Amino acid sequence: MTEQFDVVVIGGGPGGATISTLVARAGHKVLLLEAQAFPRHQIGESLLPATIRGICPLLGVQDQIEAANFMPKKGGTFIWGKSKDPWTFYFEKPRKGLTPKPIAYQVERWKFDNILLENAKKSGVEVRHHCCVLDVIEENGRVVGVKYKDKDNGVHTVAAKYVADASGNRSILSPKVGERLYSKFFNNIAIYGYFDNAKRLPEPNQGNILVEAIPKGWIWYIPLTKTLTSVGVVVDKTTVTDVQKNKETIFKNILNSSAVVSEYLSMGTPCVSDLYNEIRVRVDYSYTNTKLWKPGLVLIGDAACFIDPIFSSGVHLATYSALLAARSINTFLQGTLPELECFTEFEERYRKEFSNFYNFLIAFYDMEQSTEDYFWAARKVLNTTEKSNKAFIKLVSGFSTEGIPEAANPDEYFNVRAGIGEALQHNIKNEGAKNLNDDGASKMDISKFMEGLTREITSMQAHANNINLEQLQGSYCSLIPTDDSLYWQKEPEIVT
């Protein structure tokens, strides 16, 4: 017998937990199918302020997040560019005599994800673990349900008015929506593991992510607790061979080639706990789908797109896309706006945010720039008169401004950018002639790089603080969120 739900969500990570919670709060019957049992390992431990100060208050989990004693993240420390000395940015300038609440955290994902999933259950979402989705059910070109297998290999069908795929980069449903296009620029591979009792940055930066550039890539160093550290190397995948067979040796050799991280790890030991005792590999992780939705089915988070881990945008994009998709589903099911209009709003906003990070990271991967060059680039992007370092901090926090033109066609967008290995070894400037127009101007206009989250985050924070949003005007595209942030609505016409 086929069960009936309003919405089926595939995947119980941050994106799946967020969309299921927001859809359930709109009064819909929601089923979430998760292939694994929690707790489970997941990459992506470094969060942005946009997630902590925007999404978490909206979901109502801010108190649980603060009570979890995650490592406070004040900013980031980089050994990158022309200077070999570390440089640091802070999300928020420390104020004398005040101890503000942290606006970002380094988290153990099994703990963070479980907080969000338990909150979804409390919001009325039915969660089933060990359930692997096999396919969607379609009628007349529309997705109307899913077929899944339980832990005992029993096959079930569920009817749904909408299906949301938050199953991650291994999504089996993304090809049903569009083609997955891989970036020729971020053609990288990540190898990572965990260490106990490694060194910390000196105060006040002991909770920062440390990023060190190396000749063929870069290394992340994330303090998850006082004693546990996540360490990963990102290199062009053409520079390493037989990764799965030799991942431990390759990982060790790359870490030993570093100047700073190797010294920080000298007093540490590989972690032996069940969740963290494995060296893991992730390949082909920079991509986007040509389409993000079709009638009855929407892709969010890594099922739709992913860029690069250097500024920790993964969880941000997952939860942000979940919020956009939840509004679109709620509005469509309510019957107040047509499906095409709702999900066009979702896709345009999501693509803009993807473009936001993608373009900025292309500029950031130019290893020959100085710290001030990065800050100046951010200032030009935001078209602001404020101090350039403040503009940079807005970008890497997940907050920026609106009004940037839409992203180009994804296929063309990727094809004009290639060769991160060459960029790291010879730098972008040596290859610059390939990216020049006939008049000598660069095709990559930095003034068009970023479109942001200012209005979105303002709306989320205002809702969390019970502030009336009627005075907020304007939108990225054609719709604006309602006061409760659960639906889209037309922007009211101003009568003069």
Side-chain angles (χ1 to χ4, degrees), residues 45-356:
E45 299 102 344
S46 195
L47 303 186
L48 295 184
T51 302
I52 297 301
R53 283 198 169 180
I55 297 295
C56 288
L58 189 62
L59 295 176
V61 297
Q62 198 166 25
D63 290 344
Q64 295 97 302
I65 296 297
E66 292 177 2
N69 294 317
F70 292 129
M71 176 68 76
K73 174 184 174 183
K74 297 179 180 179
T77 298
F78 287 76
I79 304 164
W80 194 276
K82 292 179 181 179
S83 173
K84 301 306 177 184
D85 297 324
W87 55 275
T88 297
F89 71 87
Y90 298 97
F91 294 128
E92 191 171 75
K93 185 177 180 180
R95 299 180 182 179
K96 188 175 182 180
L98 296 178
T99 306
K101 292 182 179 179
I103 61 174
Y105 292 100
Q106 319 284 12
V107 301
E108 291 181 84
R109 281 289 303 275
W110 71 267
K111 292 182 180 179
F112 177 77
D113 290 11
N114 197 59
I115 289 173
L116 268 57
L117 191 60
E118 289 299 313
N119 183 65
K121 294 178 183 178
K122 293 177 183 177
S123 299
V125 177
E126 182 173 341
V127 177
R128 298 177 187 172
H129 291 278
H130 297 292
C131 292
C132 180
V133 171
L134 303 174
D135 204 350
V136 291
I137 302 168
E138 296 190 58
E139 293 180 1
N140 301 319
R142 181 176 192 84
V143 173
V144 295
V146 301
K147 181 186 294 184
Y148 75 92
K149 180 174 63 176
D150 64 26
K151 64 179 179 179
D152 298 318
N153 291 320
V155 176
H156 309 266
T157 58
V158 179
K161 299 173 184 176
Y162 234 93
V163 175
D165 184 3
S167 60
N169 67 309
R170 295 182 180 179
S171 166
I172 64 169
L173 300 183
S174 62
K176 294 182 178 294
V177 178
E179 180 186 358
R180 178 172 286 188
L181 300 175
Y182 288 96
S183 171
K184 294 177 175 63
F185 190 94
F186 295 104
N187 189 22
N188 299 344
I189 185 170
I191 311 171
Y192 64 101
Y194 299 83
F195 293 81
D196 285 323
N197 301 311
K199 185 177 178 180
R200 292 285 173 263
L201 287 165
E203 292 276 4
N205 302 323
Q206 70 275 16
N208 284 5
I209 182 173
L210 171 64
V211 174
E212 179 183 2
I214 55 177
K216 295 182 180 180
W218 59 275
I219 301 172
W220 79 67
Y221 189 92
I222 302 174
L224 298 180
T225 69
K226 291 182 179 179
T227 58
L228 179 65
T229 307
S230 169
V231 182
V233 300
V234 177
V235 295
D236 190 302
K237 67 181 180 182
T238 62
T239 65
V240 293
T241 58
D242 296 327
V243 176
Q244 293 296 346
K245 292 181 180 179
N246 302 299
K247 58 185 178 181
E248 288 83 5
T249 300
I250 293 171
F251 185 54
K252 181 179 179 180
N253 289 342
I254 295 176
L255 290 178
N256 288 339
S257 72
S258 70
V260 176
V261 169
S262 60
E263 190 270 325
Y264 272 52
L265 288 174
S266 61
M267 63 182 67
T269 57
C271 189
V272 296
S273 69
D274 289 343
L275 281 176
Y276 301 124
N277 62 357
E278 179 184 347
I279 302 300
R280 294 177 168 91
V281 176
R282 183 162 177 184
V283 297
D284 293 337
Y285 61 74
S286 188
Y287 54 84
T288 184
N289 238 48
T290 54
K291 287 288 295 179
L292 303 185
W293 73 281
K294 64 181 291 185
L297 174 62
V298 62
L299 308 177
I300 65 172
D302 289 5
C305 57
F306 186 77
I307 310 172
D308 186 86
I310 193 166
F311 276 113
S312 312
S313 59
V315 173
H316 162 60
L317 288 173
T319 55
Y320 177 63
S321 64
L323 169 65
L324 300 178
R327 288 176 181 160
S328 299
I329 290 173
N330 291 339
T331 306
F332 168 66
L333 294 183
Q334 187 184 50
T336 52
L337 290 171
E339 182 179 22
L340 177 61
E341 188 169 3
C342 293
F343 285 90
T344 296
E345 185 77 19
F346 155 79
E347 181 152 344
E348 288 185 357
R349 287 182 182 241
Y350 194 14
R351 286 209 182 280
K352 285 181 178 182
E353 189 61 10
F354 178 88
S355 175
N356 177 355

Side-chain angles (χ1 to χ4, degrees), residues 425-476:
Q425 295 179 56
H426 307 296
N427 78 64
I428 291 174
K429 294 177 182 178
N430 290 347
E431 302 294 320
K434 298 179 181 178
N435 292 318
L436 295 180
N437 295 317
D438 293 338
D439 60 359
S442 172
K443 293 179 182 177
M444 295 192 296
D445 184 355
I446 200 166
S447 67
K448 296 180 180 180
F449 267 20
M450 311 294 279
E451 60 274 8
L453 282 176
T454 297
R455 180 168 301 280
E456 197 64 63
I457 298 302
T458 299
S459 298
M460 288 188 289
Q461 289 179 321
H463 173 64
N465 293 318
N466 297 316
I467 297 174
N468 191 323
L469 300 180
E470 291 182 355
Q471 296 179 352
L472 294 176
Q473 298 179 358
S475 66
Y476 288 101

Side-chain angles (χ1 to χ4, degrees), residues 363-389:
F364 196 80
Y365 263 96
D366 184 344
M367 305 292 283
E368 291 299 308
Q369 293 195 67
S370 68
T371 303
E372 289 303 316
D373 290 330
Y374 300 128
F375 290 160
W376 181 249
R379 183 177 183 178
K380 290 178 68 177
V381 164
L382 291 175
N383 190 28
T384 178
T385 57
E386 69 182 355
K387 290 183 179 180
S388 53
N389 62 316

